[in-house]
Amino acid sequence: APPAAAASASAASSASAASAASSDGGRGGSGDSASSRHVRSSRRSISATPAAASAVRSAAHGRRSLHTRPAPRRAQSRALHGERASAAAVAAYVEDLRGSGVKVLAGGDGPNETREIARRSRDFFWYSPLLKPQLTGRVADALVLATSEADVVASLAAAVRHRVFVTTRGAGTGNYGQAVPLRGGVVLDMSGLDKIESIDAEAGTIRCGAGVKLCDLEDHARQHGWELRQHPSTRRTASVGGFVAGGSTGHGALLHGGLSEDGAVLGLRVVTAEDQTPRVLELSGRDVFPVVHAYGTNGVITSVELPLARAQAWSDVTAAFPSLDAAAAFALDVANAPAVVKRGISVFQAPIAHKYLEADALMHATGADAPQWDSAHGRDGAMAAGGDARHVAMVQCSPPGVGPVERLCAEHGGLTTRVVKATEAPRPMYEFGWNHTTLHALRADKSVTYLQCVLEPSSALGLLRRVSGEFGPSELLQHLEVVNFGGRAGFASLALLWPKGETGEAANQRLREILSWHEANGIPVFDPHTHVLEDGGMKVTDWAQLGFKRRVDPHGLLNPGKMRAWEEQSATADTSDPRGAFAASYRIADTSAVGSGPNVATSATAADASSTAADSFGTHASNPGSGRRRPRSRLWGEWSTADFAEADLSQAVAVLPLGAVEAHGPHLPLGVDAMHNADLLHRALAALPEEALVLAMPPLDVGVSCEHAGFAGTLELSAETAAAAWCELGACVARVGIRKLVLYNSHGGNHALAEVVARRLRKRHGMLTVLAMNLGASMAPGSACANLFPEDEMRYGLHGGALETSLMLHLRPQLVSTSAAKDFASRAAEQPKDAALQLHAPGFATKTGWLSQDLNAHGVVGAAATLSSAEKGATLARECVESLRKLLVEVHAADVDELLSERPLFPPQGDAGGELR
């Protein structure tokens, strides 16, 4: 599902599929004994005859050609104001389904379950300023965690018996509200159907459960020499079922087109919500169209069969141009070059790449290979002015195509700025493009929103110039993805928008005007600001589509409120396209009928329908201050109370930074430990994957520094005070619902006490408390830093020596006094290593309770003068950051209940649950 989807268009209906749903022929299904209570029938679809298709369409009134844009209007039907599922019906449903052995979470189960239901009741609809107030607060009453097709059948059978609404979700990466339950009921989570069933390595096809992540599907296919034909920009997290049911296209659409193409989806297994016993339909060919991009309104997909493409060793080519025209023309020329095998082409109008996509660090070459911007490149020398003047195109092609791409770039006045193997790129190309571009922009600027439309192949450049002439860069910046539309290359425009308006409502009205202008000027809009199929990518619902819905979901229980035709019981078009209404939606706009002069829409269009979706479906704008949203900050202090109250914290990780402000000799500042703690933690947080919910708490910069108390400027807490503070903060973390805490320590004097506190928190709150020493990775044998310093320096240079001095030369060089640095020898190093009595020793070895002056009169030890360098510090920092990043990812993925034992095998008599004091 998006955020990778382009125009939210995908195949949706065919007359033959409608006949398939009503076919009585088929073969009997079977199940194992555990699911024998669910009687299932699996039926092969039978193609409809023309007469049957005509009969389905004969009920239409006021016939309208599919190739004529249906007149947009506000929905008036009272059926759109649907009521929520009743509490009694949901309670009966939950009891019924639990009796069948299916895992169900209900709102009354407890706060953790309530949070989990709320989390899985939302998707990325907050991309849209129109959808956000409409869909915020829409939460299911229960959550079904299906792990098999039998679970799905049982879930839908119970839903029919108790008349409970069912909203199906995959990974929840859609951004049109596809997975939001408008009328309560249950959310049916399909992520547990995660088995790859088969791959035909000779024919190049793969079959898998709907919950399989696309990244796993790609990896498995590549093991057999194949790859996915297309995938969304959310490949790392999106599921295949969610992509087929809620998405439309993505990376690879340049070569293979979108999901609306005949053959893009070879087969589906779909569970119906019919009376008596739900059926399991096996759809193939064009019979899949009623279910593709239907948001789960026409059945629940349990299994998907896809065609694959031969795997390529892709290369990513970045090029910069002095104008958007040149970049777009280059993109189309590459797309139309028959000898160049390419998977994707993205174009970013300046300054998108520079401002939002970190072009200088992640797109262009760096170091010695960095582009020479001030050389004679570009027809007007504009690119030398800076990143804000560079229009960027990215091409992913096979290695033999790199040369032709570079030559085409030069022909269009551009500069090739980097060529890199896709496997070695700092970020996958697809995570720059499609709606990931919007995501990156939103992180930097919360006022941005976006558009999804098509610039058709025959006039793409002309339409692009028309848009640029109407909207300035302060209101619209183009982001283009090249897509294969019926064998010809055109653009999917996912432009970034800053609608002008003094108030939020005025800006929203301007957004509607922008959408209306595009439609009126021959640019079909696939509206991302609506949750209604017909107002977005589907465009129309014909009688074949509606007939299929009536047959497979006669009570309208599946994802209610998303299909206008069902709510009004009237198709929006009566002529069926043999390739489905979704494919036809690309052919609705006839731009040849649009004049060359100005043609700004002034009347109501499809954009108006999205503006009234709240009224149409009984939603209400909530107070913005209490809206449910997903905060993007990784800093605890930047979250609101509402954020914590509504967020899913079941896997969240809190990080408590423990530092120190203490004497570090004459050459280093007092705050060394606090400073490198903050800097390394910041870098590690920035490197985390998006799905890892990690929150850094405010740092505790003053720690247990009694060993340095004899030196001026040292700040210290007693061990008793520090332990009490750390334990109380841990209790706060547990109280908010987080069970994972990392004590990220940068001061050796804190470490022993932190280990005691970690155990107290484990005992008192059942928390997984991890103690991490930030420079610990650098001291491990075999690490990248192991050869940077001699063994004795690693053993005795524990404070203010070569390690910390090198790190500060890299992180804060202006605070290091190199002239005052010396080699501060440790008295501990003078002792025989085989002596039983050691002044200081690492780890669990025998040692004394030393003060820093016992080791050296300056209070520091280590070869700060002769063994320190900024280069070593950079290596040290890189190793420590990666070690922390890896730890945080693993802690986030860890199952607390699996790692921690609930009770000892032989507990003491009496209460075994008392606190460890």
Side-chain angles (χ1 to χ4, degrees), residues 70 117 137 150 248 377 405 432 467 503 560 645 693 782 801 811 829 841 851 882 903:
I117 293 169
S248 64
H377 289 99
V405 169
F432 287 112
V467 174
T503 64
L693 179 50
L811 297 175
L851 299 179
E882 175 54 22
R903 288 283 181 178

Side-chain angles (χ1 to χ4, degrees), residues 856-868:
N856 187 289
H858 289 88
V860 287
V861 287
T866 59
L867 294 180
S868 303

Side-chain angles (χ1 to χ4, degrees), residues 68 167 194 279 302 388 405 475 580 774 788 872:
T68 303
T167 301
D194 57 357
R279 292 184 297 161
T302 59
D388 286 354
V405 169
E475 191 167 35
N774 74 334
L788 292 179
K872 292 179 180 178

Side-chain angles (χ1 to χ4, degrees), residues 406-565:
E406 290 179 311
R407 290 188 284 275
L408 284 171
C409 171
E411 288 177 9
H412 286 277
L415 172 66
T416 301
T417 63
R418 189 191 67 183
V419 177
V420 63
K421 293 180 180 178
T423 54
E424 298 175 1
R427 176 183 290 164
M429 178 185 165
Y430 57 83
E431 290 187 356
F432 287 112
W434 296 99
N435 270 337
H436 252 71
T437 309
T438 313
L439 179 61
H440 294 309
L442 276 166
R443 285 173 173 166
D445 182 354
K446 294 179 176 61
S447 67
V448 71
T449 186
Y450 69 120
L451 170 69
Q452 293 184 161
C453 61
V454 169
L455 307 181
E456 68 170 16
S458 61
S459 52
L461 293 178
L463 292 170
L464 181 63
R465 296 184 189 109
R466 185 180 296 174
V467 174
S468 297
E470 181 68 21
F471 304 100
S474 64
E475 191 167 35
L476 185 151
L477 289 175
Q478 282 290 359
H479 158 217
L480 306 171
E481 298 288 342
V482 184
V483 176
N484 185 323
F485 297 107
R488 298 183 300 161
F491 290 125
S493 168
L494 294 88
L496 300 182
L497 302 178
W498 290 263
K500 298 176 181 177
E502 294 295 328
T503 64
E505 180 51 40
N508 288 345
Q509 181 58 37
R510 177 57 178 165
L511 172 58
R512 298 174 192 121
E513 292 172 0
I514 293 172
L515 270 61
S516 298
W517 182 93
H518 280 76
E519 286 279 4
N521 282 270
I523 303 173
V525 172
F526 297 93
D527 190 355
H529 304 285
T530 176
H531 59 266
V532 184
L533 277 166
E534 293 90 338
D535 296 341
M538 192 73 73
K539 295 290 189 185
V540 295
T541 298
D542 59 28
W543 286 99
Q545 172 83 10
L546 182 56
F548 186 89
K549 168 75 172 176
R550 287 172 172 171
R551 181 59 176 155
V552 301
D553 182 23
H555 303 289
L557 300 176
L558 300 180
N559 210 354
K562 304 295 175 62
M563 182 187 288
R564 185 186 303 285

